[in-house]
């Protein structure tokens, strides 16, 4: 039995070893290797050994060390949000100031990282970081790519009157051609002014 357990442990360690520093893991990321209890025990052991850092219950990070700062970097809230979504099978997307920040439309430091989700309303806190998931109807997020929802949420946060030519230009330079093509397809059901802005971002209209 210990041989089998060692095999599981090695596979889990190899997967973590191959990941970049700063990668966030949840138990379900190893579901193809072992059962939940074996995974939990292994992740606890790796946390005690310092290979992983526990962020929240069931959420771990491979810590990233900054040579410049001579300390470990704080966990990326965006990576933690995506890990929680993976674990609970939620579809999520940043909203409010979080969406603006991620798209380079705001430099204001956000106190709360906000996401819309097709899961329940939930908040999580660690250190000085707070994550908030707000429940939305499925049609607002399901079936849309991450970037499409992110842009729609950013535009809604700004409001029609605050979407300037500079906003359009910033977003256009941030998105690749695939993102733009997907957005044109997926956002067709959006409010008229939002879809018009998306067409401008995609370069369809001036």
């Amino acid at each position: 039995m210990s041989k089998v357990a060692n095999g599981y442990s090695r596979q889990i360690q190899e997967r973590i070893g191959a990941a970049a520093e700063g990668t966030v893991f949840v138990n379900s990321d190893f579901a193809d290797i072992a059962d939940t209890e074996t995974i939990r025990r292994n992740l606890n052991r790796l946390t005690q050994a310092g290979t992983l850092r526990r962020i929240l219950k069931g959420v771990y990070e491979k810590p990233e060390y900054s040579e410049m700062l001579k300390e470990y970097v704080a966990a990326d809230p965006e990576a933690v949000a995506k890990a929680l979504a993976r674990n609970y099978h939620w579809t999520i997307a940043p909203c409010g100031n979080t969406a603006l920040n991620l798209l380079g439309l705001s430099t204001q430091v956000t106190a709360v990282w906000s996401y819309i989700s097709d899961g329940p309303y939930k908040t999580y806190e660690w250190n000085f970081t707070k994550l908030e998931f707000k429940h939305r109807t499925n049609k607002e997020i399901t079936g849309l790519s991450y970037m499409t929802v992110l842009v729609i949420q950013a535009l809604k946060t700004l409001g029609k009157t605050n979407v300037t030519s500079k906003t359009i230009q910033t977003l256009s330079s941030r998105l690749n051609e695939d993102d733009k093509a997907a957005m044109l397809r997926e956002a067709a059901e959006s409010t008229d002014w939002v879809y018009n802005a998306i067409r401008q971002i995609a370069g369809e209209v001036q």
Side-chain angles (χ1 to χ4, degrees), residues 183-201:
M183 217 163 47
L184 283 172
R185 274 196 320 274
E186 297 167 354
E189 304 289 307
S190 300
T191 319
D192 285 350
W193 75 265
V194 169
Y195 193 59
N196 190 44
I198 281 169
R199 289 180 68 205
Q200 289 178 56
I201 293 161

Side-chain angles (χ1 to χ4, degrees), residues 32-97:
D32 59 321
I33 295 174
D35 62 86
T36 308
E37 186 52 35
T38 305
I39 294 163
R40 197 180 60 75
R41 271 204 310 271
N42 273 280
L43 297 183
N44 280 343
R45 201 161 45 238
L46 291 168
T47 302
Q48 283 162 6
T51 306
L52 292 176
R53 176 165 64 174
R54 186 183 279 103
I55 306 296
L56 296 161
K57 190 180 177 203
V59 181
Y60 305 84
E61 182 207 26
K62 182 178 177 180
E64 181 183 350
Y65 189 77
S66 164
E67 283 298 338
M68 192 175 78
L69 299 172
K70 300 291 179 212
E71 63 182 38
Y72 284 103
V73 180
D76 175 15
E78 167 83 340
V80 174
K82 285 180 173 177
L84 286 164
R86 258 196 331 274
N87 201 47
Y88 296 115
H89 307 291
W90 300 335
T91 302
I92 66 163
C95 62
N97 282 332

Side-chain angles (χ1 to χ4, degrees), residues 145-197:
S145 60
Y146 187 77
M147 193 53 86
T148 298
V149 188
L150 179 56
V151 171
I152 291 172
Q153 290 301 318
L155 292 170
K156 284 182 172 176
T157 301
L158 287 170
K160 185 179 179 179
T161 52
N162 294 316
V163 175
T164 62
S165 54
K166 188 175 178 222
T167 312
I168 301 293
Q169 202 179 340
T170 303
L171 289 172
S172 187
S173 65
R174 285 230 157 200
L175 305 185
N176 61 38
E177 292 311 310
D178 288 347
D179 289 332
K180 289 174 184 175
M183 217 163 47
L184 283 172
R185 274 196 320 274
E186 297 167 354
E189 304 289 307
S190 300
T191 319
D192 285 350
W193 75 265
V194 169
Y195 193 59
N196 190 44

Side-chain angles (χ1 to χ4, degrees), residues 77 95-99 101 106-114 128-130:
C95 62
N97 282 332
T98 306
N101 268 342
S106 169
T107 51
Q108 191 184 337
V109 178
T110 176
V112 181
W113 287 68
S114 300
F128 301 104
T129 308
K130 185 174 181 182

Side-chain angles (χ1 to χ4, degrees), residues 95-125:
C95 62
N97 282 332
T98 306
L100 299 183
N101 268 342
L102 290 169
L103 286 167
L105 297 172
S106 169
T107 51
Q108 191 184 337
V109 178
T110 176
V112 181
W113 287 68
S114 300
Y115 293 79
I116 55 169
S117 158
D118 58 2
Y121 182 88
K122 288 281 243 183
T123 59
Y124 296 88
E125 288 187 60

